[in-house]
Amino acid sequence: MEWGTLVATLGGGLIAIAGTVLADRLRTRQEHRRGLEARRRDVYTEFIAAAGAAHTELRRLAQSGAEATDLEEASRRALTDARIYEVRERLFLDASARIAGTGQTMFERLRALRKVVAAGAGISTPAFHDIYHPYLDAVWAYREAVRNELEGPALTPADFGWSVWDGRERCPHCGQRGTDTAPEPLTPPQPRAPGQQHLQPEHPRFGR
């Protein structure tokens, strides 16, 4: 066998081996990416579902808190039974930095809601709603971040006929608070009849 033929044969073999190795690496990366995307989608859904379960139980406690013998214990159990702590750890392992951040914000506001419920705030009290509505805003921020990462169409409050995400405008309790604290409307001055003399108010010191 001539040297040229041998070199060509060896070169062709090396190229074939390199191509096989490269193809294997690309396939491995694609499989890893698909696996990560699947895990992320699952944990993103599980996290908001767990938060929703805890939120529902906290609302129930706030609705009928007087029936609970220990609101502190019951409110803590609401989060534990929903597995929110466990799922949050999985979120930190698999989520992108942005989703982990918005998820943590939602979690912190859920814990703040738990604290006011444990303190005895009823579902119609200002203390409850001052924490409840920021939590709703954080929930929608998390949803928006997830949809953006998964390349879903963006949502806006207007899609639901709302102007904001936090729900205050639709809340009967917050609406009533706004009505109770609104200043009384000013009475506009009455127009003077033609020829009516305009009387100056008396000066508090000199009179007329």
Side-chain angles (χ1 to χ4, degrees):
M1 179 180 294
E2 297 181 358
W3 282 107
T5 304
L6 179 60
V7 171
T9 301
L10 291 175
L14 291 174
I15 292 174
I17 293 172
T20 301
V21 171
L22 180 59
D24 287 341
R25 287 187 176 181
L26 290 175
R27 182 166 56 252
T28 300
R29 288 181 181 178
Q30 290 174 352
E31 290 174 354
H32 175 74
R33 184 170 61 251
R34 285 195 295 267
L36 179 59
E37 290 174 353
R39 292 197 309 273
R40 282 180 171 177
R41 185 181 293 270
D42 288 343
V43 75
Y44 292 171
T45 304
E46 285 183 41
F47 184 68
I48 198 167
H55 159 239
T56 299
E57 178 61 13
L58 290 174
R59 281 183 59 90
R60 189 192 69 80
L61 291 173
Q63 184 85 41
S64 55
E67 300 174 6
T69 56
D70 188 344
L71 282 173
E72 178 68 31
E73 175 61 25
S75 63
R76 288 184 180 275
R77 192 167 57 249
L79 271 63
T80 303
D81 290 350
R83 299 176 50 248
I84 187 71
Y85 297 103
E86 173 188 338
V87 181
R88 185 180 66 132
E89 292 305 316
R90 289 182 52 208
L91 185 77
F92 287 162
L93 291 176
D94 286 331
S96 65
R98 183 184 179 194
I99 304 302
T102 55
Q104 177 64 14
T105 299
M106 184 175 77
F107 174 76
E108 290 173 353
R109 292 186 181 176
L110 180 66
R111 290 185 64 192
L113 184 64
R114 185 207 69 77
K115 289 180 181 179
V116 297
V117 171
I123 199 168
S124 61
T125 61
F128 180 89
H129 286 262
D130 287 345
I131 302 299
Y132 176 68
H133 292 291
Y135 167 71
L136 290 185
D137 194 54
V139 168
W140 280 104
Y142 175 82
R143 287 171 174 156
E144 285 186 290
V146 170
R147 288 179 66 89
N148 182 67
E149 181 171 305
L150 300 180
E151 298 182 352
L155 292 176
T156 66
D159 293 326
F160 301 89
W162 309 334
S163 61
V164 291
W165 284 127
D166 65 12
R168 288 185 187 274
E169 64 183 357
R170 307 181 302 279
C171 177
H173 302 293
C174 295
Q176 183 61 41
R177 286 171 63 190
T179 302
D180 293 342
T181 58
E184 294 184 2
L186 298 176
T187 303
Q190 298 297 320
R192 287 181 289 131
Q196 181 179 359
Q197 182 179 4
H198 178 68
L199 299 179
Q200 295 290 339
E202 295 184 357
H203 193 282
R205 179 178 175 183
F206 299 107
R208 293 187 63 184

